[in-house]
């Protein structure tokens, strides 16, 4: 497969906290030489998120197949619908966009909360009260469509759930949000034809990882302060203990001979003496890059901060 130009390539179809679109240019410096030489058969991303890195690599490099996983069932369900029922999804999104955009601000808020309630019923109960009698694939399309509608119209494009697993982000205030981008959805669907989508823990990827694999880990970032935590992509949190378990998994996959790359926050942004990741990943290459903080209620606090990229190889 030839390289795809920057203007034509598929891009993430969801906005996602911690998405790596802004870092794609930086990441190129840290990919393994084997990827550039076309020696990687399989790309694996155990924390799928927005899929920015997946889409870039699968279009810019001759990788035969990809595997992605995520603990968020709504996200993996949306990926599956984009792969298998993209035209039905486009029809759903076009209809809801046509209904939503002409509304005034008050009407939009009411419409948003109605769709949020509908979405939460589908997720928790497995069936929408307004979709009884529909075939399973149609219900899946409706749920994925509502997922994307909420993602495009909620505050800051966040995906956050409470302990009961209910989506609880309030509406945003966008003048003309792009709810249905049919061209991009079709492009993403094409990439996903070569992608296996797993719903589950990152450890479920272990069986697919071998010495011909390149694995990129993008876990929930370790918070820089007690009030800066945002790990509620699912109803479970990701603690320091979980970070340590992930580091142990990283070492185990290193023993398989796979090429590994992991990103996380840099605790030295707020505490110069915090060596948490230096200790967890001792013996590996730890690089520092800069990214713009996007998740903050105050725009004046969305400045550049440093992040870590950890590899088990020396970048070319």
């Amino acid at each position: 497969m030839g390289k795809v130009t920057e203007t034509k390539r598929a891009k993430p179809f969801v906005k996602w906290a911690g998405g790596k679109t802004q870092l794609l240019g930086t990441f190129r410096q840290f990919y393994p030489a084997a990827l550039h030489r076309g020696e990687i058969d399989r790309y694996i991303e155990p924390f799928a998120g927005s899929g920015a890195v997946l889409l870039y690599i699968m279009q810019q490099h001759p990788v035969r197949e990809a595997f992605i996983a995520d603990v968020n069932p709504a996200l993996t369900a949306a990926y599956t619908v984009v792969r298998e029922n993209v035209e039905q999804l486009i029809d759903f999104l076009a209809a809801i966009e046509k209904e939503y955009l002409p509304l005034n601000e008050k009407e939009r808020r009411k419409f948003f909360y109605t769709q949020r309630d509908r979405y939460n019923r589908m997720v928790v109960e497995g069936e929408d009260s307004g979709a009884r009698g529909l075939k399973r694939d149609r219900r899946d399309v409706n749920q994925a469509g509502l997922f994307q509608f909420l993602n495009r119209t909620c505050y800051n494009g966040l995906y956050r759930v409470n302990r009961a697993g209910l989506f609880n982000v309030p509406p945003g205030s966008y003048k003309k949000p792009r709810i249905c981008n049919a061209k991009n959805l079709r492009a993403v669907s094409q990439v996903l034809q070569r992608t296996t989508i797993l719903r589950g823990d990152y450890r479920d990827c272990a069986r697919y990882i071998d010495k011909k694999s390149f694995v990129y880990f993008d876990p929930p970032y370790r918070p820089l302060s007690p009030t800066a935590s945002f790990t509620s992509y699912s109803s479970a949190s990701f603690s320091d203990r979980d970070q340590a378990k992930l580091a142990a998994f990283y070492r185990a996959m290193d023993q398989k001979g796979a090429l590994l790359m992991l990103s996380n926050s840099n605790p030295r942004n707020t505490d110069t003496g915090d060596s948490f990741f230096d200790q967890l990943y001792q013996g590996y290459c730890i690089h520092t890059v800069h990214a713009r903080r996007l998740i903050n209620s105050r725009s004046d606090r969305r400045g550049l901060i440093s992040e870590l990229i950890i590899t088990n190889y020396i970048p070319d």
Side-chain angles (χ1 to χ4, degrees):
M1 180 179 179
K3 291 186 178 180
V4 179
T5 63
E6 193 75 13
T7 56
K8 294 182 180 179
R9 68 179 177 84
K11 299 179 181 179
F13 66 95
V14 291
K15 295 186 282 186
W16 207 252
K20 293 300 180 290
T21 298
Q22 61 161 321
L23 284 171
L24 288 176
T26 301
F27 276 11
R28 282 198 295 262
Q29 307 169 48
F30 297 97
Y31 293 147
L35 181 67
H36 298 296
R37 292 195 300 262
E39 298 170 359
I40 298 297
D41 288 340
R42 184 176 290 174
Y43 173 72
I44 300 172
E45 196 166 335
F47 299 88
S50 73
V53 179
L54 163 78
L55 295 172
Y56 181 85
I57 285 180
M58 294 299 286
Q59 294 173 104
Q60 296 295 327
H61 298 280
V63 177
R64 179 170 52 86
E65 61 181 350
F67 292 77
I68 59 173
D70 206 280
V71 295
N72 186 324
L75 180 63
T76 54
Y79 270 106
T80 301
V81 168
V82 172
R83 184 184 65 189
E84 299 177 5
N85 299 99
V86 68
E87 294 303 326
Q88 292 182 51
L89 177 62
I90 289 170
D91 290 343
F92 181 95
L93 290 171
I96 204 169
E97 182 179 70
K98 184 177 180 180
E99 186 175 1
Y100 176 80
L101 290 182
L103 302 177
N104 61 38
E105 184 177 354
K106 183 177 180 180
E107 291 170 334
R108 283 187 175 189
R109 288 183 63 86
K110 181 178 179 181
F111 187 88
F112 176 91
Y113 282 117
T114 297
Q115 302 309 318
R116 194 179 79 171
D117 289 344
R118 179 184 175 195
Y119 172 78
N120 281 330
R121 287 198 303 272
M122 295 185 79
V123 170
V124 174
E125 299 174 9
E127 180 176 302
D128 174 34
S129 60
R132 292 193 179 104
L134 292 180
K135 293 182 179 179
R136 178 70 194 183
D137 61 344
R138 170 53 66 180
R139 292 201 301 270
D140 290 344
V141 168
N142 288 359
Q143 180 177 323
L146 289 172
F147 172 88
Q148 185 155 347
F149 165 76
L150 294 172
N151 177 261
R152 290 289 168 179
T153 58
C154 73
Y155 178 75
N156 267 3
L158 299 179
Y159 188 88
R160 183 187 66 202
V161 296
N162 59 23
R163 291 185 181 276
L166 299 176
F167 181 76
N168 63 358
V169 182
S173 56
Y174 309 101
K175 290 185 178 180
K176 195 175 181 181
R178 186 77 177 273
I179 297 168
C180 182
N181 186 339
K183 182 178 180 180
N184 187 60
L185 284 168
R186 292 187 180 108
V188 173
S189 183
Q190 281 296 110
V191 174
L192 294 180
Q193 299 307 309
R194 294 182 290 137
T195 303
T196 298
I197 303 162
L198 307 171
R199 173 188 169 183
D201 185 87
Y202 63 88
R203 286 164 288 200
D204 293 335
C205 291
R207 73 186 73 174
Y208 306 108
I209 297 174
D210 58 25
K211 62 183 180 180
K212 298 286 283 185
S213 302
F214 173 45
V215 188
Y216 169 55
F217 299 91
D218 184 24
Y221 276 22
R222 185 176 187 244
L224 296 176
S225 69
T227 59
S229 177
F230 184 82
T231 58
S232 299
Y233 308 100
S234 67
S235 56
S237 62
F238 207 81
S239 65
D240 278 2
R241 184 178 180 185
D242 293 315
Q243 297 284 2
K245 289 180 179 179
L246 175 59
F249 182 79
Y250 185 102
R251 291 184 181 277
M253 296 306 100
D254 179 35
Q255 293 297 311
K256 283 191 168 190
L259 295 167
L260 312 175
M261 174 173 151
L262 178 144
S263 58
N264 216 307
S265 60
N266 185 356
R268 298 186 191 277
N269 280 294
T270 53
D271 182 356
T272 57
D274 192 333
S275 59
F276 180 76
F277 288 116
D278 299 83
Q279 295 177 31
L280 281 186
Y281 292 95
Q282 185 176 9
Y284 294 112
C285 298
I286 301 179
H287 319 274
T288 301
V289 299
H290 290 89
R292 186 167 298 279
R293 180 196 299 273
L294 296 177
I295 306 172
N296 200 301
S297 59
R298 288 178 51 177
S299 60
D300 61 340
R301 293 185 179 177
R302 298 177 188 173
L304 287 176
I305 60 170
S306 62
E307 297 187 359
L308 300 178
I309 293 178
I310 301 166
T311 61
N312 69 339
Y313 52 86
I314 299 174
D316 187 17

